[in-house]
Amino acid sequence: MTTFLVRDMTCGHCEKTVKQALDKALPGVPVAVDLANHRVTLDGGDATKAEDAIRDAGYTPERLGMA
């Protein structure tokens, strides 16, 4: 698992945009978005590719950790 803090993900539109970017970059990888805490968690997949996808969608991810 990898968790990112995405401070500039502030609304439902942002959440949808980030999720769509991750679904496109990492098809089939489960993604959980916690909008209230600005967190995105991936259950598997390539963390660097995910980080790039979030950045390419216009957001600023900070990798918090991997389990």
Side-chain angles (χ1 to χ4, degrees), residues 13-66:
H13 179 265
C14 298
E15 176 181 0
K16 183 178 178 182
T17 301
V18 168
K19 184 142 177 31
Q20 285 177 338
L22 291 169
D23 287 344
K24 184 176 179 182
L26 301 166
V29 173
V31 175
V33 178
D34 177 355
L35 183 59
N37 292 302
H38 308 281
R39 292 200 170 24
V40 177
T41 302
L42 306 169
D43 190 4
D46 181 333
T48 300
K49 194 170 184 179
E51 188 171 357
D52 290 343
I54 296 169
R55 214 174 286 289
D56 289 347
Y59 298 91
T60 312
E62 299 173 42
R63 197 178 308 191
L64 296 178
M66 296 173 68

